[in-house]
């Protein structure tokens, strides 16, 4: 399994973007700049295809990863001489009965019998320590995740009323068994805490490869009640945060407004550089993507909070606020950092990261 730590400043993440419909998926071309599927999957390995199977829902509703993409990925894994296993922990009780219903509705029983591919029914769990967690010190993780030699995650591009978007960085919340997920919603009822908890889970269950289903995504009141939208893209890579940043750019969403990406920025998990060896997000821009009604000012631009960050005399000129600012609105000066309020979007990352509590929020014209 991959690991996830603070990003090395020389690291460049690759994000491969391809225009596609379900009839024209060309995985070989999509994965070619990453070295092909055999860079990730080796002969004899058990490869988990971790889908987004939120609930028992038919594919045309765009709630679950489309089985046509799953089929193509399973075929590629078989061709590489490895054994694919399909799985997720949907919402609700993590039971064999519920899994069967979810697989059936998602069109996966047919796919499984056509290709002879196993669907996961192992509902056992293991408590896993998270030594560097911000919210969790340990969590139950499903054994089908822990037992896989490799994980290929297949998230869908969808909105999420609480976390605004559910993309590659959130897909591994399915590593946590169903009812524990519901419990964590109650415990971590602040968005920042919930997003930090999601990143904690990702540190112990990070996919090796991600192929994002953006052929038909979901907009509006996702993840279960939004409306399908034709975006007609596949997005692949092995850095989930880089993929999410690319999708935000494509959909013209301010990434710092997505709670999990904001936390990832503060935890210095954003890749310093992203390259696009195929199409760029600007080549496939989607205008008018509808966010959930819960999206705040950072995303809608409808209301700007009056409170602005102000640097006080406690500042020790450590430069951390300058480094973290997503809009490069802070510059270091001989004295203390200077904020350009014409660039500032009031995300308050600078205030959160300041080790001296030297940034106050004040009204500013
Ligand atoms: S993070 Fe705080 S202490 Fe460091 S330079 Fe910025 S305002 Fe000053
Ligand atoms: S609040 Fe403004 S200055 Fe501070 S990090 Fe956000 S954009 Fe930069």
């Amino acid at each position: 399994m991959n690991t996830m730590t603070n990003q090395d400043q020389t690291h460049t993440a690759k994000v491969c973007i391809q225009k596609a419909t379900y009839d024209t998926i060309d995985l070989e071309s999509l994965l070619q700049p990453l070295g092909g599927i055999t860079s990730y999957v080796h002969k004899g390995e058990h490869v988990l295809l971790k889908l987004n199977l939120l609930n028992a829902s038919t594919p045309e509703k765009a709630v679950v990863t489309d089985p046509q993409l799953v089929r193509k990925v399973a075929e590629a894994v078989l061709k590489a001489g490895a054994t694919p296993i399909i799985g997720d922990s949907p919402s609700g009780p993590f039971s064999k009965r519920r899994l069967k219903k979810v697989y059936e509705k998602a069109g996966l029983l047919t796919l499984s019998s056509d290709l002879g591919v196993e669907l996961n029914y192992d509902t056992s769990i293991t408590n896993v320590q998270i030594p560097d967690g911000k919210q969790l010190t340990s969590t139950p993780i499903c054994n089908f995740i822990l037992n896989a030699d490799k994980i290929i995650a297949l998230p869908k591009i969808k909105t999420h009323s609480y976390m605004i978007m559910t993309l590659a960085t959130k897909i591994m919340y399915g590593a946590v068994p169903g009812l524990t997920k519901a419990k964590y919603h109650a415990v971590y009822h602040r968005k920042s805490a919930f997003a930090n908890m999601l990143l904690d889970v990702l540190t112990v269950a990070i996919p090796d490869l991600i192929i994002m289903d953006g052929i038909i995504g979901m907009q509006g009141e996702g993840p279960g009640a939004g409306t399908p939208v034709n975006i007609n893209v596949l997005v692949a890579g092995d850095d989930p945060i880089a993929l999410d940043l690319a999708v935000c750019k494509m959909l013209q969403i301010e990434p710092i407004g997505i709670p999990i990406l904001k936390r990832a920025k503060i935890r210095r998990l954003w890749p310093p550089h992203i390259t696009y060896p195929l199409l760029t997000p600007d080549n496939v821009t989607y205008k008018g993507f509808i966010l959930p009604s819960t999206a705040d000012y950072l995303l809608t631009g409808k209301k700007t909070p009056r409170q602005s960050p102000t640097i006080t005399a406690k500042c020790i000129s450590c430069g951390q606020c300058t480094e973290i600012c997503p809009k490069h609105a802070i510059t270091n000066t001989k004295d203390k950092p200077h904020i350009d309020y014409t660039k500032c979007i009031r995300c308050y990352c600078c205030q959160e990261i300041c080790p001296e509590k030297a940034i106050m929020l004040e009204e500013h014209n």
Side-chain angles (χ1 to χ4, degrees):
M1 218 182 274
N2 232 336
T3 54
M4 191 157 160
T5 50
N6 287 0
Q7 289 277 7
D8 161 4
Q9 287 310 298
T10 60
H11 172 71
T12 296
K14 261 187 205 168
V15 176
C16 302
I17 303 174
Q18 181 186 71
K19 280 191 183 170
T21 65
Y22 290 118
D23 293 330
T24 63
I25 294 170
D26 178 358
L27 275 188
E28 212 172 307
S29 305
L30 178 69
L31 301 181
Q32 191 272 331
L34 301 168
I37 198 153
T38 50
S39 293
Y40 298 93
V41 167
H42 303 118
K43 206 170 170 183
E45 287 181 334
H46 285 84
V47 179
L48 174 69
L49 308 190
K50 161 65 180 80
L51 313 190
N52 184 332
L53 296 174
L54 175 72
N55 56 31
S57 182
T58 50
E60 72 278 4
K61 291 185 179 159
V63 172
V64 296
T65 308
D66 197 283
Q68 296 172 86
L69 174 62
V70 183
R71 180 181 288 268
K72 293 281 185 190
V73 178
E75 285 171 347
V77 171
L78 286 165
K79 199 174 162 195
T83 306
I85 306 164
I86 293 170
D88 191 15
S89 156
S91 58
F94 187 40
S95 65
K96 292 181 175 64
R97 194 164 157 229
R98 180 155 172 76
L99 282 172
K100 183 161 187 223
K101 195 172 168 198
V102 170
Y103 292 147
E104 188 175 11
K105 280 266 191 180
L108 295 168
L109 293 186
T110 316
L111 185 156
S112 164
S113 70
D114 285 356
L115 299 182
V117 168
E118 189 184 331
L119 300 171
N120 175 63
Y121 285 101
D122 177 4
T123 56
S124 62
I125 57 172
T126 298
N127 204 49
V128 173
Q129 302 299 311
I130 309 183
D132 299 323
K134 298 277 184 222
Q135 294 293 334
L136 295 170
T137 51
S138 67
T139 185
I141 296 283
C142 300
N143 282 344
F144 74 89
I145 298 278
L146 299 173
N147 292 339
D149 294 317
K150 296 287 167 56
I151 298 175
I152 301 180
L154 303 174
K156 202 156 179 79
I157 294 182
K158 291 198 296 178
T159 48
H160 191 283
S161 293
Y162 190 42
M163 288 286 105
I164 308 303
M165 293 298 292
T166 172
L167 303 167
T169 311
K170 190 172 175 295
I171 181 81
M172 294 314 290
Y173 196 36
V176 175
L179 290 179
T180 307
K181 286 201 287 267
K183 186 181 113 188
Y184 286 170
H185 269 280
V187 174
Y188 303 110
H189 47 82
R190 280 180 52 232
K191 282 187 178 180
S192 56
F194 193 81
N196 257 332
M197 178 276 297
L198 293 172
L199 288 172
D200 289 347
V201 171
L202 190 63
T203 61
V204 291
I206 188 159
D208 297 278
L209 173 67
I210 303 135
I211 303 172
M212 204 185 287
D213 177 7
I215 295 178
I216 300 181
M218 176 180 281
Q219 60 183 352
E221 308 305 319
T227 52
V229 54
N230 293 322
I231 309 171
N232 293 322
V233 290
L234 289 174
V235 186
D238 53 22
D239 181 328
I241 292 163
L243 264 72
D244 287 6
L245 292 171
V247 170
C248 284
K249 207 163 183 217
M250 187 190 304
L251 301 180
Q252 304 186 311
I253 295 170
E254 172 57 63
I256 213 74
I258 308 298
I260 193 166
L261 291 178
K262 179 172 178 180
R263 289 301 117 195
K265 174 81 174 162
I266 288 170
R267 287 168 73 160
R268 296 187 169 87
L269 297 172
W270 281 25
H273 311 285
I274 304 178
T275 58
Y276 300 102
L278 299 176
L279 296 171
T280 70
D282 291 337
N283 296 142
V284 286
T285 299
Y286 184 93
K287 292 197 173 89
F289 184 79
I290 302 168
L291 288 167
S293 54
T294 46
D296 72 8
Y297 67 91
L298 280 171
L299 297 157
T300 61
K302 281 187 186 153
K303 52 177 181 169
T304 306
R306 294 166 69 89
Q307 301 247 297
S308 299
T310 308
I311 296 173
T312 67
K314 285 185 184 172
C315 173
I316 57 164
S317 298
C318 69
Q320 292 190 52
C321 55
T322 308
E323 186 203 333
I324 207 75
C325 176
K327 291 291 160 187
H328 308 292
I330 309 179
T331 44
N332 293 326
T333 68
K334 256 198 231 157
D335 184 13
K336 60 181 184 181
H338 169 78
I339 299 177
D340 178 347
Y341 291 106
T342 62
K343 289 186 183 170
C344 174
I345 56 170
R346 280 72 174 170
C347 66
Y348 311 134
C349 289
C350 53
Q351 191 210 21
E352 288 190 42
I353 203 129
C354 176
E356 299 298 316
K357 296 190 176 20
I359 300 184
M360 307 303 292
L361 298 182
E362 294 177 344
E363 283 193 18
H364 188 278
N365 293 322

